[in-house]
Amino acid sequence: MQLQGKKALVTGASLGIGRAIAVAYAREGAEVAITGRHRDTLVPVAEEIDRIGRRVHVMEWDVSVVEHAAAHIEEAAAAMGGLDVVVNNAGVLSRDGSGFPDLTVEEWDYVMGVNLRGLYFVCQQAVKHMKGQGGAIINIASDAGLRGEVHPYGLSKWGVVGLTRGLGKRCAPDNVRVNAIAPGPVATRMMGWEPGKPVENDRLPLGRMAFPEEVAELAVYLASERARAVLGQVIPVNSATAF
């Protein structure tokens, strides 16, 4: 098992990529703390992890409320007896659907508040906790952050890319590895996909959407000791933008 004995926190773990990562970590031997804005949406994930035979800690947490970041990081560490890995997966696409040149301030604040501001302060508190003992932070960016954008979603992910590269260098002396995964279209509800719908898309390198479990496999690697020399990297998955 690649993550035997590791203590991992996965934000936004109720659905899609976050859920897949949390379950994959449990299967690889990690204890997992999972978060979401609504506790009831985390119950099925916790039950799945429990069936695998791993301990799981459920935390109701809206990462956009940055004042709570320190307390939640400490709660996760206390519940698991340590904290080795943090996956910043919590993210939103849109609230009111507005776009340039008619983008609302509310849309900007909502998307940026979760995807960049919230993520930044989770990273900040995670690094403070891991400093000295070491650990890994994995940010879920997007291929939208690898190209020019005008909507706050793409701009927020551009910020995640830049932050990851900056923290990769800044945190290396503290033995904290920071990397990111930049998925292209993945078969998730955020992408408008539902079970039973086709995943084929001839505009993508694979000719289809990726599956959350495929993103999770990379997240397992980046959290493992096999990736101990990988830092500050942003790795695309099924992204035409990367070519």
Side-chain angles (χ1 to χ4, degrees):
M1 292 186 179
Q2 299 179 62
L3 303 179
Q4 186 69 44
K6 298 285 189 183
K7 322 291 187 182
L9 167 67
V10 183
T11 70
S14 59
L15 294 168
I17 292 172
R19 179 176 185 152
I21 291 174
V23 171
Y25 278 11
R27 286 180 176 149
E28 290 294 335
E31 294 181 32
V32 189
I34 56 175
T35 85
R37 285 179 289 178
H38 306 288
R39 180 176 291 269
D40 59 327
T41 65
L42 295 166
V43 171
V45 190
E47 291 174 345
E48 187 172 0
I49 292 171
D50 187 63
R51 287 193 294 271
I52 294 170
R54 301 297 168 199
R55 291 177 56 192
V56 58
H57 180 65
V58 175
M59 301 171 61
E60 189 170 283
W61 180 5
D62 180 350
V63 299
S64 69
V65 185
V66 298
E67 295 81 5
H68 294 171
H72 283 307
I73 290 290
E74 290 304 320
E75 178 185 342
M80 295 186 291
L83 187 61
D84 305 297
V85 182
V86 171
V87 179
N88 281 302
N89 174 73
V92 294
L93 181 61
S94 178
R95 167 170 280 176
D96 62 25
S98 64
F100 188 86
D102 301 310
L103 185 82
T104 65
V105 173
E106 291 77 15
E107 178 83 338
W108 174 275
D109 288 344
Y110 173 67
V111 176
M112 287 288 186
V114 175
N115 294 4
L116 186 55
R117 185 171 182 262
L119 181 146
Y120 181 97
F121 285 97
V122 176
C123 286
Q124 181 188 70
Q125 296 302 326
V127 169
K128 286 182 178 180
H129 185 89
M130 293 174 174
K131 185 175 182 178
Q133 70 177 43
I137 297 173
I138 301 160
N139 297 324
I140 304 303
S142 167
D143 69 341
L146 303 176
R147 60 176 184 258
E149 271 285 352
V150 296
H151 190 272
Y153 178 80
L155 294 172
S156 69
K157 296 300 186 178
W158 185 296
V160 172
V161 168
L163 177 64
T164 299
R165 289 172 176 161
L167 287 178
K169 182 177 181 179
R170 171 63 177 79
C171 298
D174 296 323
N175 196 28
V176 178
R177 296 184 295 103
V178 185
N179 292 288
I181 302 172
V186 177
T188 65
R189 188 172 296 173
M190 180 180 281
M191 288 297 302
W193 183 86
E194 297 287 348
K197 284 190 173 183
V199 296
E200 289 75 22
N201 184 327
D202 58 13
R203 294 175 297 174
L204 295 170
L206 295 176
R208 62 168 173 83
M209 303 173 82
F211 295 105
E213 293 76 15
E214 292 172 309
V215 180
E217 289 179 9
L218 179 54
V220 168
Y221 167 72
L222 290 174
S224 75
E225 293 305 310
R226 295 186 301 154
R228 58 186 175 272
V230 182
L231 63 156
Q233 298 304 301
V234 180
I235 305 174
V237 174
N238 198 29
S239 169
T241 305
F243 291 88

